[in-house]
Amino acid sequence: MSLTHTDSEGKASMVDVGDKDITRREARAEGYIYMAPETLAIVKDNGLKKGDVLAVARIAGIQAAKQCSHLIPLCHPLMLNFIGVEFQLDVEHSRIRIETCCRLSGKTGVEIEALTAASVAALTIYDMCKAVDKEMHIEGIRVLEKSGGRSGHYVYGTEQVEA
């Protein structure tokens, strides 16, 4: 297996997707931001002066997915059909789980868009809460699932990819 974003001489190169078929493509990603229990309670109760943390983080994640080609050097600009950003407050582990979903009908996948949405949503939560919690940390940003295109259907934790 070889890297897709390098040419035969090892130089960075944008993948030519011109000959690929247009297919429905979807990717889901997740990430976690850990914080003090008191901080999680403030987020849950919408008690920050800066505003509704999760509403702002949702919009930030959506905006980030739309901007991937400006942020990631060899990423294709995409016309996304859907971007979803959802949150689950996990009191037991004092964290917020972020799950994102990106969809389109196109010639290239949307994993980077889903990962970027999760990353920026987590960073936005961090930014909005940093005044009350300096110990927050972000972990576990990963692709959960992707489908469409030549490489088939992938689900995190399975070695099998369905074509």
Side-chain angles (χ1 to χ4, degrees):
M1 185 174 280
S2 62
L3 297 175
T4 58
H5 287 77
T6 56
D7 66 15
S8 59
E9 298 174 7
K11 296 178 195 166
S13 174
M14 190 171 190
V15 174
D16 183 353
V17 297
D19 292 333
K20 287 185 165 186
D21 292 331
I22 293 174
T23 60
R24 177 181 163 90
R25 296 160 184 267
E26 181 173 327
R28 292 185 313 108
E30 74 175 349
Y32 295 87
I33 181 162
Y34 290 80
M35 58 190 62
E38 300 80 17
T39 308
L40 187 59
I42 292 170
V43 171
K44 181 180 179 184
D45 296 338
N46 198 15
L48 280 178
K49 291 179 183 177
K50 287 186 174 184
D52 184 337
V53 172
L54 300 182
V56 174
R58 179 175 284 112
I59 296 299
I62 291 168
Q63 285 296 102
K66 291 166 47 176
Q67 295 297 317
C68 274
S69 66
H70 297 286
L71 300 169
I72 311 297
L74 301 175
C75 194
H76 291 85
L78 301 179
M79 290 294 297
L80 296 167
N81 297 334
F82 173 78
I83 305 164
V85 179
E86 298 300 328
F87 304 99
Q88 295 172 330
L89 279 63
D90 180 352
V91 175
E92 182 180 346
H93 297 99
S94 195
R95 66 186 182 182
I96 299 172
R97 179 178 182 267
I98 303 155
E99 184 172 330
T100 63
C101 178
C102 293
R103 280 194 290 262
L104 61 63
S105 293
K107 296 183 174 205
T108 189
V110 291
E111 304 94 276
I112 297 303
E113 288 72 13
L115 288 165
T116 301
S119 301
V120 171
L123 289 168
T124 300
I125 294 168
Y126 185 97
D127 180 53
M128 291 189 73
C129 297
K130 69 182 184 270
V132 297
D133 189 347
K134 306 277 190 257
E135 301 280 318
M136 290 179 293
H137 61 279
I138 298 165
E139 291 185 13
I141 294 173
R142 62 184 172 196
V143 172
L144 293 172
E145 184 175 10
K146 69 171 277 316
S147 61
R150 291 183 196 162
S151 63
H153 187 189
Y154 165 80
V155 177
Y156 180 82
T158 64
E159 293 183 30
Q160 188 173 339
V161 174
E162 300 171 19

PDB file of all heavy atoms in Angstrom, residues 121-142:
ATOM      1  N   ALA A 121     -15.024  21.466  16.888  1.00  0.00           N
ATOM      2  CA  ALA A 121     -16.061  21.524  17.924  1.00  0.00           C
ATOM      3  C   ALA A 121     -15.420  21.360  19.302  1.00  0.00           C
ATOM      4  O   ALA A 121     -15.736  22.103  20.239  1.00  0.00           O
ATOM      5  CB  ALA A 121     -17.127  20.464  17.682  1.00  0.00           C
ATOM      6  N   ALA A 122     -14.501  20.402  19.438  1.00  0.00           N
ATOM      7  CA  ALA A 122     -13.804  20.194  20.711  1.00  0.00           C
ATOM      8  C   ALA A 122     -12.964  21.419  21.079  1.00  0.00           C
ATOM      9  O   ALA A 122     -12.963  21.861  22.239  1.00  0.00           O
ATOM     10  CB  ALA A 122     -12.925  18.946  20.639  1.00  0.00           C
ATOM     11  N   LEU A 123     -12.254  21.975  20.120  1.00  0.00           N
ATOM     12  CA  LEU A 123     -11.445  23.164  20.382  1.00  0.00           C
ATOM     13  C   LEU A 123     -12.309  24.357  20.786  1.00  0.00           C
ATOM     14  O   LEU A 123     -11.908  25.167  21.630  1.00  0.00           O
ATOM     15  CB  LEU A 123     -10.615  23.520  19.146  1.00  0.00           C
ATOM     16  CG  LEU A 123      -9.465  22.557  18.834  1.00  0.00           C
ATOM     17  CD1 LEU A 123      -8.917  22.835  17.440  1.00  0.00           C
ATOM     18  CD2 LEU A 123      -8.385  22.641  19.885  1.00  0.00           C
ATOM     19  N   THR A 124     -13.483  24.451  20.220  1.00  0.00           N
ATOM     20  CA  THR A 124     -14.395  25.545  20.566  1.00  0.00           C
ATOM     21  C   THR A 124     -14.882  25.402  22.002  1.00  0.00           C
ATOM     22  O   THR A 124     -14.949  26.389  22.747  1.00  0.00           O
ATOM     23  CB  THR A 124     -15.566  25.597  19.570  1.00  0.00           C
ATOM     24  OG1 THR A 124     -15.029  25.804  18.258  1.00  0.00           O
ATOM     25  CG2 THR A 124     -16.539  26.707  19.921  1.00  0.00           C
ATOM     26  N   ILE A 125     -15.217  24.180  22.392  1.00  0.00           N
ATOM     27  CA  ILE A 125     -15.602  23.941  23.788  1.00  0.00           C
ATOM     28  C   ILE A 125     -14.449  24.332  24.704  1.00  0.00           C
ATOM     29  O   ILE A 125     -14.638  25.017  25.704  1.00  0.00           O
ATOM     30  CB  ILE A 125     -16.023  22.475  23.997  1.00  0.00           C
ATOM     31  CG1 ILE A 125     -17.312  22.178  23.224  1.00  0.00           C
ATOM     32  CG2 ILE A 125     -16.201  22.167  25.488  1.00  0.00           C
ATOM     33  CD1 ILE A 125     -17.662  20.703  23.137  1.00  0.00           C
ATOM     34  N   TYR A 126     -13.250  23.916  24.345  1.00  0.00           N
ATOM     35  CA  TYR A 126     -12.070  24.281  25.134  1.00  0.00           C
ATOM     36  C   TYR A 126     -11.956  25.797  25.253  1.00  0.00           C
ATOM     37  O   TYR A 126     -11.776  26.339  26.344  1.00  0.00           O
ATOM     38  CB  TYR A 126     -10.807  23.686  24.504  1.00  0.00           C
ATOM     39  CG  TYR A 126      -9.574  23.909  25.332  1.00  0.00           C
ATOM     40  CD1 TYR A 126      -9.122  22.928  26.193  1.00  0.00           C
ATOM     41  CD2 TYR A 126      -8.879  25.120  25.279  1.00  0.00           C
ATOM     42  CE1 TYR A 126      -7.993  23.136  26.976  1.00  0.00           C
ATOM     43  CE2 TYR A 126      -7.760  25.337  26.058  1.00  0.00           C
ATOM     44  CZ  TYR A 126      -7.314  24.341  26.903  1.00  0.00           C
ATOM     45  OH  TYR A 126      -6.215  24.549  27.687  1.00  0.00           O
ATOM     46  N   ASP A 127     -12.043  26.478  24.129  1.00  0.00           N
ATOM     47  CA  ASP A 127     -11.901  27.930  24.120  1.00  0.00           C
ATOM     48  C   ASP A 127     -12.947  28.605  25.000  1.00  0.00           C
ATOM     49  O   ASP A 127     -12.631  29.520  25.760  1.00  0.00           O
ATOM     50  CB  ASP A 127     -12.000  28.454  22.689  1.00  0.00           C
ATOM     51  CG  ASP A 127     -11.858  29.962  22.621  1.00  0.00           C
ATOM     52  OD1 ASP A 127     -10.851  30.486  23.163  1.00  0.00           O
ATOM     53  OD2 ASP A 127     -12.743  30.619  22.056  1.00  0.00           O
ATOM     54  N   MET A 128     -14.162  28.139  24.919  1.00  0.00           N
ATOM     55  CA  MET A 128     -15.229  28.788  25.681  1.00  0.00           C
ATOM     56  C   MET A 128     -15.142  28.498  27.180  1.00  0.00           C
ATOM     57  O   MET A 128     -15.635  29.280  27.989  1.00  0.00           O
ATOM     58  CB  MET A 128     -16.587  28.370  25.135  1.00  0.00           C
ATOM     59  CG  MET A 128     -16.833  28.956  23.739  1.00  0.00           C
ATOM     60  SD  MET A 128     -18.501  28.702  23.175  1.00  0.00           S
ATOM     61  CE  MET A 128     -19.393  29.891  24.201  1.00  0.00           C
ATOM     62  N   CYS A 129     -14.520  27.377  27.550  1.00  0.00           N
ATOM     63  CA  CYS A 129     -14.465  26.972  28.962  1.00  0.00           C
ATOM     64  C   CYS A 129     -13.114  27.198  29.621  1.00  0.00           C
ATOM     65  O   CYS A 129     -12.965  26.976  30.826  1.00  0.00           O
ATOM     66  CB  CYS A 129     -14.841  25.496  29.084  1.00  0.00           C
ATOM     67  SG  CYS A 129     -16.520  25.112  28.567  1.00  0.00           S
ATOM     68  N   LYS A 130     -12.116  27.639  28.878  1.00  0.00           N
ATOM     69  CA  LYS A 130     -10.756  27.723  29.413  1.00  0.00           C
ATOM     70  C   LYS A 130     -10.625  28.662  30.606  1.00  0.00           C
ATOM     71  O   LYS A 130      -9.752  28.481  31.447  1.00  0.00           O
ATOM     72  CB  LYS A 130      -9.755  28.070  28.323  1.00  0.00           C
ATOM     73  CG  LYS A 130      -9.870  29.475  27.773  1.00  0.00           C
ATOM     74  CD  LYS A 130      -8.864  29.692  26.665  1.00  0.00           C
ATOM     75  CE  LYS A 130      -8.897  31.105  26.162  1.00  0.00           C
ATOM     76  NZ  LYS A 130      -9.816  31.329  25.061  1.00  0.00           N
ATOM     77  N   ALA A 131     -11.496  29.640  30.726  1.00  0.00           N
ATOM     78  CA  ALA A 131     -11.428  30.569  31.860  1.00  0.00           C
ATOM     79  C   ALA A 131     -11.772  29.883  33.178  1.00  0.00           C
ATOM     80  O   ALA A 131     -11.308  30.315  34.236  1.00  0.00           O
ATOM     81  CB  ALA A 131     -12.353  31.761  31.629  1.00  0.00           C
ATOM     82  N   VAL A 132     -12.542  28.807  33.115  1.00  0.00           N
ATOM     83  CA  VAL A 132     -12.945  28.119  34.353  1.00  0.00           C
ATOM     84  C   VAL A 132     -12.241  26.783  34.548  1.00  0.00           C
ATOM     85  O   VAL A 132     -12.338  26.184  35.615  1.00  0.00           O
ATOM     86  CB  VAL A 132     -14.481  27.912  34.434  1.00  0.00           C
ATOM     87  CG1 VAL A 132     -15.198  29.251  34.484  1.00  0.00           C
ATOM     88  CG2 VAL A 132     -14.995  27.053  33.306  1.00  0.00           C
ATOM     89  N   ASP A 133     -11.521  26.292  33.511  1.00  0.00           N
ATOM     90  CA  ASP A 133     -10.897  24.964  33.625  1.00  0.00           C
ATOM     91  C   ASP A 133      -9.649  24.899  32.749  1.00  0.00           C
ATOM     92  O   ASP A 133      -9.727  24.789  31.525  1.00  0.00           O
ATOM     93  CB  ASP A 133     -11.906  23.898  33.201  1.00  0.00           C
ATOM     94  CG  ASP A 133     -11.447  22.482  33.485  1.00  0.00           C
ATOM     95  OD1 ASP A 133     -10.256  22.264  33.792  1.00  0.00           O
ATOM     96  OD2 ASP A 133     -12.295  21.580  33.389  1.00  0.00           O
ATOM     97  N   LYS A 134      -8.503  24.965  33.391  1.00  0.00           N
ATOM     98  CA  LYS A 134      -7.224  24.914  32.663  1.00  0.00           C
ATOM     99  C   LYS A 134      -6.757  23.483  32.394  1.00  0.00           C
ATOM    100  O   LYS A 134      -5.799  23.269  31.672  1.00  0.00           O
ATOM    101  CB  LYS A 134      -6.135  25.637  33.465  1.00  0.00           C
ATOM    102  CG  LYS A 134      -6.497  27.053  33.855  1.00  0.00           C
ATOM    103  CD  LYS A 134      -6.213  28.011  32.742  1.00  0.00           C
ATOM    104  CE  LYS A 134      -6.331  29.439  33.210  1.00  0.00           C
ATOM    105  NZ  LYS A 134      -7.544  30.100  32.811  1.00  0.00           N
ATOM    106  N   GLU A 135      -7.440  22.496  32.968  1.00  0.00           N
ATOM    107  CA  GLU A 135      -7.000  21.097  32.885  1.00  0.00           C
ATOM    108  C   GLU A 135      -7.728  20.298  31.802  1.00  0.00           C
ATOM    109  O   GLU A 135      -7.533  19.094  31.694  1.00  0.00           O
ATOM    110  CB  GLU A 135      -7.213  20.415  34.240  1.00  0.00           C
ATOM    111  CG  GLU A 135      -6.472  21.063  35.384  1.00  0.00           C
ATOM    112  CD  GLU A 135      -5.009  20.673  35.445  1.00  0.00           C
ATOM    113  OE1 GLU A 135      -4.723  19.479  35.231  1.00  0.00           O
ATOM    114  OE2 GLU A 135      -4.178  21.547  35.697  1.00  0.00           O
ATOM    115  N   MET A 136      -8.576  20.927  31.023  1.00  0.00           N
ATOM    116  CA  MET A 136      -9.296  20.191  29.973  1.00  0.00           C
ATOM    117  C   MET A 136      -8.314  19.576  28.991  1.00  0.00           C
ATOM    118  O   MET A 136      -7.234  20.104  28.766  1.00  0.00           O
ATOM    119  CB  MET A 136     -10.237  21.139  29.224  1.00  0.00           C
ATOM    120  CG  MET A 136     -11.411  21.620  30.007  1.00  0.00           C
ATOM    121  SD  MET A 136     -12.444  22.742  29.036  1.00  0.00           S
ATOM    122  CE  MET A 136     -11.340  24.148  28.845  1.00  0.00           C
ATOM    123  N   HIS A 137      -8.724  18.457  28.406  1.00  0.00           N
ATOM    124  CA  HIS A 137      -7.918  17.875  27.336  1.00  0.00           C
ATOM    125  C   HIS A 137      -8.823  17.140  26.345  1.00  0.00           C
ATOM    126  O   HIS A 137      -9.917  16.700  26.690  1.00  0.00           O
ATOM    127  CB  HIS A 137      -6.814  16.957  27.878  1.00  0.00           C
ATOM    128  CG  HIS A 137      -7.305  15.790  28.645  1.00  0.00           C
ATOM    129  ND1 HIS A 137      -7.691  15.875  29.969  1.00  0.00           N
ATOM    130  CD2 HIS A 137      -7.466  14.502  28.283  1.00  0.00           C
ATOM    131  CE1 HIS A 137      -8.074  14.677  30.388  1.00  0.00           C
ATOM    132  NE2 HIS A 137      -7.956  13.829  29.385  1.00  0.00           N
ATOM    133  N   ILE A 138      -8.335  17.062  25.131  1.00  0.00           N
ATOM    134  CA  ILE A 138      -9.069  16.481  24.011  1.00  0.00           C
ATOM    135  C   ILE A 138      -8.407  15.159  23.647  1.00  0.00           C
ATOM    136  O   ILE A 138      -7.179  15.076  23.556  1.00  0.00           O
ATOM    137  CB  ILE A 138      -9.073  17.453  22.814  1.00  0.00           C
ATOM    138  CG1 ILE A 138      -9.794  18.746  23.195  1.00  0.00           C
ATOM    139  CG2 ILE A 138      -9.679  16.807  21.572  1.00  0.00           C
ATOM    140  CD1 ILE A 138      -9.564  19.896  22.235  1.00  0.00           C
ATOM    141  N   GLU A 139      -9.228  14.136  23.427  1.00  0.00           N
ATOM    142  CA  GLU A 139      -8.704  12.803  23.077  1.00  0.00           C
ATOM    143  C   GLU A 139      -9.627  12.107  22.090  1.00  0.00           C
ATOM    144  O   GLU A 139     -10.781  12.482  21.927  1.00  0.00           O
ATOM    145  CB  GLU A 139      -8.630  11.918  24.330  1.00  0.00           C
ATOM    146  CG  GLU A 139      -7.608  12.306  25.343  1.00  0.00           C
ATOM    147  CD  GLU A 139      -7.524  11.302  26.480  1.00  0.00           C
ATOM    148  OE1 GLU A 139      -8.073  10.195  26.373  1.00  0.00           O
ATOM    149  OE2 GLU A 139      -6.899  11.647  27.494  1.00  0.00           O
ATOM    150  N   GLY A 140      -9.086  11.056  21.501  1.00  0.00           N
ATOM    151  CA  GLY A 140      -9.896  10.072  20.783  1.00  0.00           C
ATOM    152  C   GLY A 140     -10.546  10.550  19.502  1.00  0.00           C
ATOM    153  O   GLY A 140     -11.584  10.020  19.106  1.00  0.00           O
ATOM    154  N   ILE A 141      -9.957  11.504  18.832  1.00  0.00           N
ATOM    155  CA  ILE A 141     -10.535  11.934  17.558  1.00  0.00           C
ATOM    156  C   ILE A 141     -10.202  10.871  16.518  1.00  0.00           C
ATOM    157  O   ILE A 141      -9.041  10.555  16.286  1.00  0.00           O
ATOM    158  CB  ILE A 141     -10.022  13.330  17.162  1.00  0.00           C
ATOM    159  CG1 ILE A 141     -10.535  14.351  18.174  1.00  0.00           C
ATOM    160  CG2 ILE A 141     -10.464  13.689  15.742  1.00  0.00           C
ATOM    161  CD1 ILE A 141      -9.998  15.734  18.022  1.00  0.00           C
ATOM    162  N   ARG A 142     -11.279  10.317  15.939  1.00  0.00           N
ATOM    163  CA  ARG A 142     -11.074   9.221  14.983  1.00  0.00           C
ATOM    164  C   ARG A 142     -12.290   9.066  14.078  1.00  0.00           C
ATOM    165  O   ARG A 142     -13.382   9.519  14.406  1.00  0.00           O
ATOM    166  CB  ARG A 142     -10.837   7.913  15.716  1.00  0.00           C
ATOM    167  CG  ARG A 142     -12.011   7.489  16.567  1.00  0.00           C
ATOM    168  CD  ARG A 142     -11.719   6.248  17.343  1.00  0.00           C
ATOM    169  NE  ARG A 142     -12.784   5.972  18.285  1.00  0.00           N
ATOM    170  CZ  ARG A 142     -12.669   5.147  19.285  1.00  0.00           C
ATOM    171  NH1 ARG A 142     -11.539   4.508  19.495  1.00  0.00           N
ATOM    172  NH2 ARG A 142     -13.684   4.929  20.083  1.00  0.00           N
TER     173      ARG A 142
END
